[in-house]
Amino acid sequence: MTHIPAAPAAVDYLLLTPGPLSTTATVRAAMLQDSCTWDADYNLGVVEPIRRELVRLATTPEQAADYGAVLLQGSGSYVVESVLGSALGADDGLLIVNNGAYGARMVEMARCLGLRHLELDCGETARPEVAAIESLLGRHPEITHLAMVHCETTTGMLNPLEEVAALCRRRGIRLIVDAMSSFGGIPIDLGRLGIEFLISSANKCIQGVPGFGFVIARRAALAACAGRARSVSLDLHAQWQTMEQQGGKWRFTSPTHTVLAFAQALRELEQEGGIAARHRRYQENQRTLVAGMATLGFEPLLPAPWQSPIITAFHSPTHPDYRFADFYQRLKGQGFVIYPGKVSQADCFRIGNIGDVSPARVRELLAVMAAACYWQEGAL
């Protein structure tokens, strides 16, 4: 028999990452219950209220009846691929705005799915220019849909959703938004913006745990997905219809423990004061972090007006003794986990501001970081 080593001793790290992220003890405790994936108490009592609450968070009361929410097993990327593979028909054309790893991933998906698509490659550290998007749309009348990441966690860039949404409304383009790292932490009104499909994940700003993602979309758009899916498991229309017709039932085995944690996370979002209050906390976390990092000599990768409150990339020190792996381990040894860089053209690292994180905890990180900068004179 293969020997499976014992799990390492539990350590309560503060995860300063874009997800999975630090969750509350009460969210984790919600998973200490087993549920039957076919049971009405679970589907009608947990899944259906989650679906209604997601629509409520994304719309106004007057618009809510026009929208539906679909939950889908897997990471956020699974749900993005489900939407791209289900929303576009054979005659549709897709423009993908790419300024980071997650825009690039949508391009990869479009190629694999055989979608008619164009890519606007803005570069990893540039913000998309609406004029360039409009010019491309003018030259390509076959484009019917536009897909863009809202918060590109490659850099922490907050892309110009308002302006792009207005452009799509003017030109009759159907807008697909990867709001993986923004929904729940930044207010988004689907009806006002005219978003057709919004995609996010359980383990981001709602502050749940990994295991499923979700789509909030116009019911008419979901209905139009019938017969278009290029995958059995990722058939968005089939998943939606099963949940609609069978009281929240999933087509295949539901990640029950993750769903229970998400229900608790939604309750805690409401207790905090909703998305607007959470957005203010994240903003304060990010301001506290940037100001404190400046005193330690760290410069953000992005200009301040482009920066999201979700995650911040910092230029790595140029000192010859600096090694990210050593720096990471020193911080981890003190209970703080940060993120490596993901930008191909810049040496940087990233620090997340979301999850069960407060400005006080950010100040604790900064105190630890001052001592962890071993290459600086006076560091411990």
Side-chain angles (χ1 to χ4, degrees), residues 319-320 360:
H319 195 283

Side-chain angles (χ1 to χ4, degrees), residues 78-91:
Y78 286 60
V79 190
V80 173
E81 189 159 355
S82 173
V83 170
L84 295 182
S86 301
L88 280 92
D91 296 329

Side-chain angles (χ1 to χ4, degrees), residues 162-177:
E162 292 267 349
E163 296 92 329
V164 171
L167 171 62
C168 289
R169 292 196 303 273
R170 288 199 307 272
R171 301 190 67 99
I173 300 294
R174 297 168 183 173
L175 180 58
I176 299 169
V177 178

Side-chain angles (χ1 to χ4, degrees), residues 66-290:
D66 295 332
Y67 289 84
V70 190
L71 315 184
L72 191 71
Q73 301 92 326
S75 72
S77 292
Y78 286 60
V79 190
V80 173
E81 189 159 355
S82 173
V83 170
L84 295 182
S86 301
L88 280 92
D91 296 329
D92 290 325
L94 174 66
L95 173 60
I96 301 171
V97 179
N98 172 17
N99 67 329
Y102 299 97
R105 188 171 295 173
M106 286 198 286
V107 173
E108 183 181 3
M109 290 172 181
R111 288 175 183 153
C112 186
L113 292 167
L115 302 179
R116 297 174 65 204
H117 71 281
L118 291 174
E119 174 190 3
L120 178 60
D121 188 346
C122 308
E124 295 171 313
T125 58
R127 202 165 188 252
E129 295 184 3
V130 177
I133 298 173
E134 185 159 24
S135 175
L136 192 57
L137 291 174
R139 298 195 305 273
H140 292 276
E142 73 275 15
I143 296 298
T144 56
H145 295 69
L146 185 149
M148 184 179 76
V149 176
H150 185 201
C151 176
E152 179 53 82
T153 56
T154 304
T155 57
M157 177 90 69
L158 194 63
N159 283 330
L161 179 57
E162 292 267 349
E163 296 92 329
V164 171
L167 171 62
C168 289
R169 292 196 303 273
R170 288 199 307 272
R171 301 190 67 99
I173 300 294
R174 297 168 183 173
L175 180 58
I176 299 169
V177 178
D178 175 344
M180 210 66 60
S181 296
S182 59
F183 182 74
I186 298 174
I188 302 173
D189 183 337
L190 268 65
R192 183 178 65 80
L193 294 174
I195 296 171
E196 190 139 294
F197 295 91
L198 180 142
I199 309 155
S200 194
S201 180
N203 60 293
K204 300 290 187 174
C205 295
I206 302 292
Q207 298 182 184
V209 301
F212 72 93
F214 54 87
V215 181
I216 309 170
R218 294 186 189 277
R219 289 181 169 273
L222 289 167
C225 292
R228 291 179 172 175
R230 294 153 174 89
S231 163
V232 173
S233 299
L234 301 181
D235 186 334
L236 183 64
H237 181 268
Q239 184 87 338
W240 175 57
Q241 281 298 288
T242 302
M243 289 185 166
E244 287 283 294
Q245 295 172 8
Q246 300 187 44
K249 182 183 172 297
W250 301 56
R251 290 167 66 221
F252 309 122
T253 303
S254 168
T256 54
H257 298 85
T258 297
V259 172
L260 292 173
F262 191 73
Q264 176 61 25
L266 284 170
R267 287 189 284 269
E268 294 181 12
L269 174 62
E270 181 68 16
Q271 291 163 6
E272 185 172 350
I275 293 175
R278 184 156 291 178
H279 184 218
R280 289 192 293 272
R281 173 164 61 86
Y282 288 171
Q283 287 179 310
E284 187 177 356
N285 286 347
Q286 201 269 339
R287 287 192 297 265
T288 302
L289 175 67
V290 171

Side-chain angles (χ1 to χ4, degrees), residues 13 323-336 372:
Y13 295 114
R323 300 286 186 277
F324 175 77
D326 296 336
F327 185 45
Y328 174 89
Q329 288 298 336
R330 284 173 180 252
L331 293 173
K332 184 179 177 182
Q334 297 297 313
F336 297 90

